[in-house]
Amino acid sequence: MARIVVDVMPKPEILDPQGKAIVRALPHQGITAFTGVRQGKRFELEVDGEVTEQVLATAREAAETMLSNPVIEDVVNVTVINDATSTEA
Amino acid sequence: MARIVVDVMPKPEILDPQGKAIVRALPHQGITAFTGVRQGKRFELEVDGEVTEQVLATAREAAETMLSNPVIEDVVNVTVINDATSTEA
């Protein structure tokens, strides 16, 4: 079984209150290494069988139309991962 | 400026109502290629300057302690990306 990962992030010009809250909270935990944080979404789509070019095109279409709001979000990544590896290639 | 990406997913044994809602909605849009959907989070941490091994270790610590809930979520990925490339290497 293969999976397709879709990454969605708020557009750079869009305020990201969750990211802002995290970046303000980090110094209270003694963490000062990061100057900014943005929070987005990661989807994993399970595919039975082979990931053909057509399946990937369908994933891209779903990413743009259902998994993201194109007014405020960008689809930054659509990648195939195999379950044989625990992390992305 | 470099960024560190942290990917967090609900643990496999944890119910994911958002993913379930999406997988049920897809056929209504004519999309039948996916047998399952899981929704997680993607964080981008901005780093001024170089991403040293220490900065990466701090990111991993923040990922485990602040950006995820270890009871119900797994940190599946902590990766450095460079802003020169628009997508992950």
Side-chain angles (χ1 to χ4, degrees):
Chain A
M1 196 189 65
R3 282 174 298 163
I4 299 174
V5 171
V6 174
D7 290 317
V8 174
M9 293 300 292
K11 283 183 190 286
E13 66 272 23
I14 297 286
L15 186 71
D16 171 16
Q18 290 173 301
K20 280 266 183 291
I22 293 164
V23 84
R24 280 182 199 160
L26 286 170
H28 299 294
Q29 305 289 321
I31 297 173
T32 55
F34 310 113
T35 54
V37 177
R38 308 280 287 171
Q39 181 176 342
K41 287 178 270 186
R42 174 191 165 101
F43 299 92
E44 292 185 359
L45 312 177
E46 284 172 23
V47 181
D48 269 348
E50 206 189 338
V51 179
T52 59
E53 199 46 56
Q54 196 186 341
V55 170
L56 209 54
T58 304
R60 287 200 196 95
E61 186 203 327
E64 296 288 348
T65 58
M66 287 196 61
L67 303 178
S68 70
N69 176 347
V71 178
I72 58 168
E73 293 171 324
D74 287 325
V75 176
V76 295
N77 213 24
V78 178
T79 330
V80 181
I81 55 174
N82 280 303
D83 277 355
T85 56
S86 65
T87 56
E88 278 160 85
Chain B
M1 197 188 64
R3 282 175 298 163
I4 298 173
V5 170
V6 174
D7 289 318
V8 174
M9 293 300 292
K11 283 183 191 287
E13 67 271 24
I14 296 287
L15 186 70
D16 170 15
Q18 291 173 300
K20 280 266 182 291
I22 293 164
V23 83
R24 279 181 200 162
L26 285 171
H28 298 294
Q29 306 289 321
I31 297 173
T32 55
F34 310 113
T35 54
V37 177
R38 307 281 287 170
Q39 181 176 342
K41 287 179 270 186
R42 174 190 166 103
F43 300 93
E44 292 186 358
L45 312 177
E46 284 172 24
V47 181
D48 269 348
E50 207 188 338
V51 179
T52 60
E53 199 45 58
Q54 197 186 341
V55 170
L56 209 53
T58 304
R60 286 201 196 94
E61 186 203 327
E64 295 288 349
T65 59
M66 287 197 61
L67 303 179
S68 69
N69 176 348
V71 178
I72 57 167
E73 293 171 324
D74 286 326
V75 176
V76 295
N77 212 24
V78 178
T79 329
V80 182
I81 55 173
N82 281 302
D83 278 354
T85 55
S86 64
T87 56
E88 279 160 85

